Amino acid sequence: MSRRTLARLGAPAAAAAGITFLVAAPASAHVTVTPTETAAGAYTVLTFSNGHGCEGSPTKQITIQVPEGINDVTPTRQPFYDVKVVTEKLAEPLEDAHGNKLTERDSSVVYTAKTPLPDGQRDAFEVSLQLPEEEGTLAFPVIQTCVKGETAWVEEAPEGATEEPENPAPSFEVTAAEAEDGHGHGAEESAEKAEPAAAEVEDGDSNVWGAVGAGAGILGLIAGTTALALGRRKA
């Protein structure tokens, strides 16, 4: 294959690689969120990742906004940051799953760097919470404050949009709820499945004892017949 042919083949490949790089590079620069669980109503740990500063300026604070419908969050300690949970009053009191009355909710989690995170270095922040009972896209707007300037990762793509916003809010899809475990209907169903099995065991035991009884009866009949025969011979 000639050099000219190689050049013709290599040019489109290089161009495609360049386009791929241009598309992938901005996406990798976003603040992202990765859940450990996505099922509706499940408890999950969300990991928020930040991989760059504000146009070269080091990051000094990350504020994670908690969407409505989630009232309680638990942040993980981060050795390079001070962490604070900010609360707000609810318009109307709510009752949680344990019957406790709630008058306020956790509205945001603020991680403040003890030493600003240099541009070009990444860090991660974990928050534990219970997901809403409804399926759908769940977004967590994040404000990235730097030594100079800030970036608001708060834009949500309209439904049906084909292009991603310039500063998208970290988000993921809440999926269908999983079948309940031992504390819900799943346990009842398991018990119902177990009952026939237990009945089969009982029937099996009855059959065994019936067989033993039948065998004993046959042995008794044989012994009686033998005794009767011996008695006739003596007579």
Side-chain angles (χ1 to χ4, degrees), residues 85-151:
V85 177
V86 179
T87 61
E88 66 179 9
K89 288 187 175 296
L90 291 169
E92 295 182 4
L94 297 175
E95 189 173 294
D96 65 14
H98 303 288
N100 300 316
K101 186 177 181 180
L102 302 177
T103 58
E104 60 182 21
R105 64 180 289 269
D106 296 337
S107 59
S108 63
V109 179
V110 182
Y111 280 94
T112 303
K114 297 175 181 178
T115 300
L117 175 68
D119 181 47
Q121 295 185 16
R122 66 178 298 277
D123 221 330
F125 313 88
E126 293 183 344
V127 179
S128 173
L129 52 84
Q130 183 178 16
L131 295 174
E133 298 292 343
E134 300 81 17
E135 300 175 41
T137 303
L138 189 61
F140 290 79
V142 171
I143 305 298
Q144 177 186 4
T145 305
C146 299
V147 174
K148 293 183 180 180
E150 71 174 28
T151 303

Side-chain angles (χ1 to χ4, degrees), residues 32-33 137-140 169-173:
T32 61
V33 59
T137 303
L138 189 61
F140 290 79
S171 63
F172 62 92
E173 292 296 318

Side-chain angles (χ1 to χ4, degrees), residues 7 12 15 30 60 63 78-79 82-83 98 107 109 114 128 141 143 151 161 170 172 184 202 224 227-228 230:
H30 298 338
K60 65 178 184 179
T63 302
Q78 229 276 18
D82 293 321
V83 60
H98 303 288
S107 59
V109 179
K114 297 175 181 178
S128 173
I143 305 298
T151 303
F172 62 92
E202 292 177 359
L228 180 61
L230 290 175

